[in-house]
Amino acid sequence: MFKKAWLLKLLLNIWPPLRFAGIKVVKISADFRTAQVSLKLNIFNRNAVGVHFGGSLFAMTDPFYMLMIMGCLGDDYIVWDKSADIDFIKPGKGKVTADFLVTDALLKDIVAHTAHGEKYLPELPVYVKNEKGEVVAKLNRKLYIRKKKSA
């Protein structure tokens, strides 16, 4: 897939579903281990009561874990977003951010669970926070991961 994080960041920042929602990829580390995404409240992403539209908060967390883990594991694995849920904690106002972290422990866990061709469905939490660092929404992103069969 993508071998260069800077290229992935560029492409995601011009990808219409994120760009037109006002979602910005602030950073993706060269090793695909960390990323940050932000969303500023504007007329196009606010809801009827003047706070962030829930769909935009949801969209700002998709497809980052999938792409980051693909970047970490390489071409030997199938990685898909399987499902997600969102819990709205408080109204989102102003600028909100979401941080993503792929740890060594997570990668070791994935490799161990998929070593013999089994599928693995890890659930990864994502917290969307306001400028004060308060949690606005908590999401659980479930991935489908499987090692590709040898040819």
Side-chain angles (χ1 to χ4, degrees):
M1 181 78 193
F2 294 101
K3 305 290 184 208
K4 305 282 185 187
W6 67 266
L7 179 58
L8 177 60
K9 176 185 170 192
L10 173 70
L11 293 173
L12 287 171
N13 276 325
I14 62 173
W15 189 40
L18 297 183
R19 184 174 177 88
F20 294 134
I23 297 164
K24 180 179 178 170
V25 181
V26 177
K27 65 181 176 181
I28 299 177
S29 64
D31 62 0
F32 295 97
R33 297 294 191 97
T34 62
Q36 184 178 71
V37 179
S38 68
L39 176 62
K40 292 180 182 175
L41 185 64
N42 65 49
I43 194 166
F44 299 111
N45 61 24
R46 74 179 63 209
N47 65 17
V49 293
V51 298
H52 278 288
F53 170 63
S56 296
L57 296 175
F58 196 84
M60 73 184 287
T61 69
D62 179 27
F64 294 96
Y65 270 129
M66 180 188 80
L67 294 173
M68 292 167 67
I69 290 174
M70 288 171 71
C72 290
L73 294 176
D75 295 333
D76 293 337
Y77 290 82
I78 298 167
V79 184
W80 288 94
D81 275 316
K82 181 161 177 46
S83 64
D85 62 70
I86 188 167
D87 183 16
F88 298 105
I89 308 297
K90 66 185 307 177
K93 300 176 185 176
K95 181 180 173 183
V96 295
T97 58
D99 292 299
F100 303 85
L101 175 64
V102 175
T103 64
D104 286 336
L106 174 60
L107 293 175
K108 287 178 185 176
D109 195 43
I110 291 167
V111 170
H113 280 90
T114 60
H116 302 290
E118 307 91 338
K119 69 179 176 183
Y120 183 46
L121 306 172
E123 285 194 30
L124 306 171
V126 183
Y127 299 91
V128 178
K129 297 180 180 180
N130 63 19
E131 293 170 290
K132 296 178 183 175
E134 301 166 325
V135 175
V136 170
K138 179 186 183 271
L139 294 95
N140 294 304
R141 309 279 326 177
K142 184 184 281 190
L143 300 180
Y144 170 98
I145 305 172
R146 182 183 298 239
K147 191 168 184 176
K148 290 181 181 176
K149 294 178 181 167
S150 300

